[in-house]
Amino acid sequence: MSDTVMHLGSGKVRELYALDADRLLLVASDRISTFDVVLPTEIPDKGRVLTGLSAFWFGQTGALVQNHLLALREDGRSTECRRLEMLPIECVVRGYLAGSGWKDYLASGEVCGHRLPAGLVESQQLPEPIFTPATKAQTGHDENIDRAAGAALVGEERYDEVERLSLELYRSVSERAAALGIILADTKLEFGVDEEGRLVLADEAFTPDSSRFWPADEYRSGGPQPSFDKQFVRDYCESLGWDKTYPGPELPEDVVAGTRARYVEAFERLTGIAFDDYLASPEVVLA
Ligand code: Q0Z
């Protein structure tokens, strides 16, 4: 019997291990990053919130596409998943004009080859959601690409398939979120391919780390929106005049507590499940 677990890699706030030839272990830490810097202070249970939300959405979208989730561990922050051949593109869907989508639109009137109407303002809802893939940068920022560049990386047929699926997933989850008073402005999905060549939704899905969630009651187009989860952290960091380079500042207790409460609120509003029930029994999100 072997219980040797190989560490495969670290993300800014997550770790990836190989359990065996077919299975990986994805562990979400309580680390938080802001302005692309991981802070020295952790947000208690942040990794559990993200893991629980992701598992919830894998369960809710299982009829649209299969996913990599095999098991949710008792610690609430670790998932066992199928080891896949990952596609080399990030599958981003945007329903609103924010982040690099807004920047690209300002510079060219287009996002990833989608020509958009003139006169849109920051954070405005798009006439319809658009698929805006990006390359996976090893260091630095992902680069937005158009259909031709995406198809060159994964093939035309696969590109059409991930575009269709990504848009379907975004529509389904954004409608659910809207009914709960939360705007899903955009989301980043990752797909892998199994031994039979079938697409599988992988990594994390529809968490605040992979998506922009905006509280609908505070939404005002024409400028940037407050982040559902990280706004206290950003505001605190801005108040210090920190230059946004490593190392980041320690966070005071009230900023930690307020931020933890926002993560828990996102979990509870989106899933309808009490976070304490998740802590007691993580598999409640899959019921
Ligand atoms: C996910 C990542 C992390 C570092 C590879 N099911 C899968 N099969 C194969 N590969 C992956 C997955 Cl999810 C895979 N990443 C992203 C996660 C730390 C990098 F926790 N890389």
PDB file of all heavy atoms in Angstrom, residues 82-97:
ATOM      1  N   ARG A  82     -10.184  13.672 -11.140  1.00  0.00           N
ATOM      2  CA  ARG A  82      -9.646  12.882 -12.253  1.00  0.00           C
ATOM      3  C   ARG A  82      -8.499  13.650 -12.885  1.00  0.00           C
ATOM      4  O   ARG A  82      -8.598  14.850 -13.151  1.00  0.00           O
ATOM      5  CB  ARG A  82     -10.724  12.652 -13.321  1.00  0.00           C
ATOM      6  CG  ARG A  82     -11.887  11.830 -12.855  1.00  0.00           C
ATOM      7  CD  ARG A  82     -13.002  11.842 -13.898  1.00  0.00           C
ATOM      8  NE  ARG A  82     -12.585  11.200 -15.138  1.00  0.00           N
ATOM      9  CZ  ARG A  82     -13.323  11.213 -16.248  1.00  0.00           C
ATOM     10  NH1 ARG A  82     -14.470  11.854 -16.287  1.00  0.00           N
ATOM     11  NH2 ARG A  82     -12.898  10.584 -17.324  1.00  0.00           N
ATOM     12  N   ARG A  83      -7.432  12.919 -13.169  1.00  0.00           N
ATOM     13  CA  ARG A  83      -6.285  13.544 -13.829  1.00  0.00           C
ATOM     14  C   ARG A  83      -6.540  13.555 -15.331  1.00  0.00           C
ATOM     15  O   ARG A  83      -6.732  12.525 -15.951  1.00  0.00           O
ATOM     16  CB  ARG A  83      -5.030  12.744 -13.509  1.00  0.00           C
ATOM     17  CG  ARG A  83      -3.764  13.408 -13.931  1.00  0.00           C
ATOM     18  CD  ARG A  83      -2.571  12.607 -13.440  1.00  0.00           C
ATOM     19  NE  ARG A  83      -1.358  13.392 -13.469  1.00  0.00           N
ATOM     20  CZ  ARG A  83      -0.269  13.076 -12.779  1.00  0.00           C
ATOM     21  NH1 ARG A  83      -0.241  11.992 -12.029  1.00  0.00           N
ATOM     22  NH2 ARG A  83       0.812  13.832 -12.848  1.00  0.00           N
ATOM     23  N   LEU A  84      -6.530  14.748 -15.899  1.00  0.00           N
ATOM     24  CA  LEU A  84      -6.908  14.941 -17.302  1.00  0.00           C
ATOM     25  C   LEU A  84      -5.757  15.539 -18.097  1.00  0.00           C
ATOM     26  O   LEU A  84      -4.793  16.055 -17.532  1.00  0.00           O
ATOM     27  CB  LEU A  84      -8.096  15.903 -17.381  1.00  0.00           C
ATOM     28  CG  LEU A  84      -9.321  15.502 -16.563  1.00  0.00           C
ATOM     29  CD1 LEU A  84     -10.256  16.681 -16.389  1.00  0.00           C
ATOM     30  CD2 LEU A  84     -10.049  14.334 -17.231  1.00  0.00           C
ATOM     31  N   GLU A  85      -5.919  15.527 -19.405  1.00  0.00           N
ATOM     32  CA  GLU A  85      -5.047  16.296 -20.300  1.00  0.00           C
ATOM     33  C   GLU A  85      -5.696  17.674 -20.424  1.00  0.00           C
ATOM     34  O   GLU A  85      -6.739  17.809 -21.060  1.00  0.00           O
ATOM     35  CB  GLU A  85      -5.006  15.583 -21.660  1.00  0.00           C
ATOM     36  CG  GLU A  85      -3.821  15.924 -22.522  1.00  0.00           C
ATOM     37  CD  GLU A  85      -2.500  15.526 -21.884  1.00  0.00           C
ATOM     38  OE1 GLU A  85      -2.325  14.338 -21.539  1.00  0.00           O
ATOM     39  OE2 GLU A  85      -1.651  16.446 -21.734  1.00  0.00           O
ATOM     40  N   MET A  86      -5.093  18.693 -19.790  1.00  0.00           N
ATOM     41  CA  MET A  86      -5.752  20.001 -19.767  1.00  0.00           C
ATOM     42  C   MET A  86      -5.594  20.725 -21.108  1.00  0.00           C
ATOM     43  O   MET A  86      -4.534  20.673 -21.744  1.00  0.00           O
ATOM     44  CB  MET A  86      -5.169  20.862 -18.652  1.00  0.00           C
ATOM     45  CG  MET A  86      -5.367  20.270 -17.257  1.00  0.00           C
ATOM     46  SD  MET A  86      -7.092  20.041 -16.796  1.00  0.00           S
ATOM     47  CE  MET A  86      -7.569  21.749 -16.529  1.00  0.00           C
ATOM     48  N   LEU A  87      -6.644  21.401 -21.529  1.00  0.00           N
ATOM     49  CA  LEU A  87      -6.546  22.237 -22.734  1.00  0.00           C
ATOM     50  C   LEU A  87      -5.683  23.459 -22.411  1.00  0.00           C
ATOM     51  O   LEU A  87      -5.759  23.995 -21.299  1.00  0.00           O
ATOM     52  CB  LEU A  87      -7.932  22.704 -23.181  1.00  0.00           C
ATOM     53  CG  LEU A  87      -8.898  21.623 -23.645  1.00  0.00           C
ATOM     54  CD1 LEU A  87     -10.178  22.266 -24.177  1.00  0.00           C
ATOM     55  CD2 LEU A  87      -8.263  20.735 -24.715  1.00  0.00           C
ATOM     56  N   PRO A  88      -4.895  23.927 -23.377  1.00  0.00           N
ATOM     57  CA  PRO A  88      -3.972  25.050 -23.101  1.00  0.00           C
ATOM     58  C   PRO A  88      -4.613  26.436 -23.203  1.00  0.00           C
ATOM     59  O   PRO A  88      -3.915  27.413 -23.453  1.00  0.00           O
ATOM     60  CB  PRO A  88      -2.889  24.860 -24.173  1.00  0.00           C
ATOM     61  CG  PRO A  88      -3.614  24.245 -25.324  1.00  0.00           C
ATOM     62  CD  PRO A  88      -4.689  23.356 -24.728  1.00  0.00           C
ATOM     63  N   ILE A  89      -5.945  26.505 -23.043  1.00  0.00           N
ATOM     64  CA  ILE A  89      -6.588  27.838 -23.017  1.00  0.00           C
ATOM     65  C   ILE A  89      -7.490  27.965 -21.782  1.00  0.00           C
ATOM     66  O   ILE A  89      -8.041  26.983 -21.295  1.00  0.00           O
ATOM     67  CB  ILE A  89      -7.431  28.142 -24.288  1.00  0.00           C
ATOM     68  CG1 ILE A  89      -8.525  27.103 -24.509  1.00  0.00           C
ATOM     69  CG2 ILE A  89      -6.527  28.247 -25.510  1.00  0.00           C
ATOM     70  CD1 ILE A  89      -9.478  27.438 -25.650  1.00  0.00           C
ATOM     71  N   GLU A  90      -7.590  29.204 -21.305  1.00  0.00           N
ATOM     72  CA  GLU A  90      -8.555  29.555 -20.260  1.00  0.00           C
ATOM     73  C   GLU A  90      -9.842  29.916 -20.989  1.00  0.00           C
ATOM     74  O   GLU A  90      -9.825  30.738 -21.908  1.00  0.00           O
ATOM     75  CB  GLU A  90      -8.086  30.801 -19.487  1.00  0.00           C
ATOM     76  CG  GLU A  90      -6.657  30.756 -19.002  1.00  0.00           C
ATOM     77  CD  GLU A  90      -6.532  30.193 -17.599  1.00  0.00           C
ATOM     78  OE1 GLU A  90      -7.511  29.584 -17.113  1.00  0.00           O
ATOM     79  OE2 GLU A  90      -5.463  30.373 -17.004  1.00  0.00           O
ATOM     80  N   CYS A  91     -10.945  29.322 -20.555  1.00  0.00           N
ATOM     81  CA  CYS A  91     -12.228  29.567 -21.220  1.00  0.00           C
ATOM     82  C   CYS A  91     -13.020  30.603 -20.430  1.00  0.00           C
ATOM     83  O   CYS A  91     -13.661  30.290 -19.435  1.00  0.00           O
ATOM     84  CB  CYS A  91     -12.996  28.264 -21.347  1.00  0.00           C
ATOM     85  SG  CYS A  91     -12.179  27.107 -22.473  1.00  0.00           S
ATOM     86  N   VAL A  92     -12.931  31.838 -20.879  1.00  0.00           N
ATOM     87  CA  VAL A  92     -13.553  32.956 -20.154  1.00  0.00           C
ATOM     88  C   VAL A  92     -14.861  33.337 -20.840  1.00  0.00           C
ATOM     89  O   VAL A  92     -14.922  33.410 -22.067  1.00  0.00           O
ATOM     90  CB  VAL A  92     -12.602  34.174 -20.111  1.00  0.00           C
ATOM     91  CG1 VAL A  92     -13.255  35.360 -19.404  1.00  0.00           C
ATOM     92  CG2 VAL A  92     -11.285  33.785 -19.443  1.00  0.00           C
ATOM     93  N   VAL A  93     -15.889  33.544 -20.050  1.00  0.00           N
ATOM     94  CA  VAL A  93     -17.143  34.097 -20.567  1.00  0.00           C
ATOM     95  C   VAL A  93     -17.413  35.408 -19.844  1.00  0.00           C
ATOM     96  O   VAL A  93     -17.276  35.487 -18.625  1.00  0.00           O
ATOM     97  CB  VAL A  93     -18.333  33.131 -20.359  1.00  0.00           C
ATOM     98  CG1 VAL A  93     -19.629  33.753 -20.888  1.00  0.00           C
ATOM     99  CG2 VAL A  93     -18.067  31.790 -21.047  1.00  0.00           C
ATOM    100  N   ARG A  94     -17.779  36.416 -20.631  1.00  0.00           N
ATOM    101  CA  ARG A  94     -18.090  37.736 -20.066  1.00  0.00           C
ATOM    102  C   ARG A  94     -19.517  38.135 -20.411  1.00  0.00           C
ATOM    103  O   ARG A  94     -19.894  38.121 -21.590  1.00  0.00           O
ATOM    104  CB  ARG A  94     -17.144  38.808 -20.643  1.00  0.00           C
ATOM    105  CG  ARG A  94     -15.685  38.552 -20.352  1.00  0.00           C
ATOM    106  CD  ARG A  94     -14.770  39.494 -21.141  1.00  0.00           C
ATOM    107  NE  ARG A  94     -13.392  39.044 -20.995  1.00  0.00           N
ATOM    108  CZ  ARG A  94     -12.601  39.393 -19.975  1.00  0.00           C
ATOM    109  NH1 ARG A  94     -13.040  40.228 -19.050  1.00  0.00           N
ATOM    110  NH2 ARG A  94     -11.372  38.920 -19.902  1.00  0.00           N
ATOM    111  N   GLY A  95     -20.255  38.509 -19.379  1.00  0.00           N
ATOM    112  CA  GLY A  95     -21.590  39.054 -19.576  1.00  0.00           C
ATOM    113  C   GLY A  95     -21.601  40.553 -19.355  1.00  0.00           C
ATOM    114  O   GLY A  95     -22.570  41.231 -19.697  1.00  0.00           O
ATOM    115  N   TYR A  96     -20.518  41.054 -18.762  1.00  0.00           N
ATOM    116  CA  TYR A  96     -20.365  42.476 -18.412  1.00  0.00           C
ATOM    117  C   TYR A  96     -18.951  42.898 -18.785  1.00  0.00           C
ATOM    118  O   TYR A  96     -18.046  42.067 -18.901  1.00  0.00           O
ATOM    119  CB  TYR A  96     -20.597  42.691 -16.908  1.00  0.00           C
ATOM    120  CG  TYR A  96     -22.037  42.458 -16.482  1.00  0.00           C
ATOM    121  CD1 TYR A  96     -22.563  41.170 -16.403  1.00  0.00           C
ATOM    122  CD2 TYR A  96     -22.877  43.525 -16.192  1.00  0.00           C
ATOM    123  CE1 TYR A  96     -23.899  40.955 -16.034  1.00  0.00           C
ATOM    124  CE2 TYR A  96     -24.204  43.322 -15.812  1.00  0.00           C
ATOM    125  CZ  TYR A  96     -24.706  42.038 -15.734  1.00  0.00           C
ATOM    126  OH  TYR A  96     -26.008  41.834 -15.368  1.00  0.00           O
ATOM    127  N   LEU A  97     -18.752  44.198 -18.950  1.00  0.00           N
ATOM    128  CA  LEU A  97     -17.480  44.720 -19.434  1.00  0.00           C
ATOM    129  C   LEU A  97     -16.589  45.175 -18.268  1.00  0.00           C
ATOM    130  O   LEU A  97     -16.742  46.296 -17.765  1.00  0.00           O
ATOM    131  CB  LEU A  97     -17.786  45.892 -20.377  1.00  0.00           C
ATOM    132  CG  LEU A  97     -16.804  46.262 -21.472  1.00  0.00           C
ATOM    133  CD1 LEU A  97     -16.214  45.036 -22.166  1.00  0.00           C
ATOM    134  CD2 LEU A  97     -17.499  47.153 -22.482  1.00  0.00           C
TER     135      LEU A  97
END
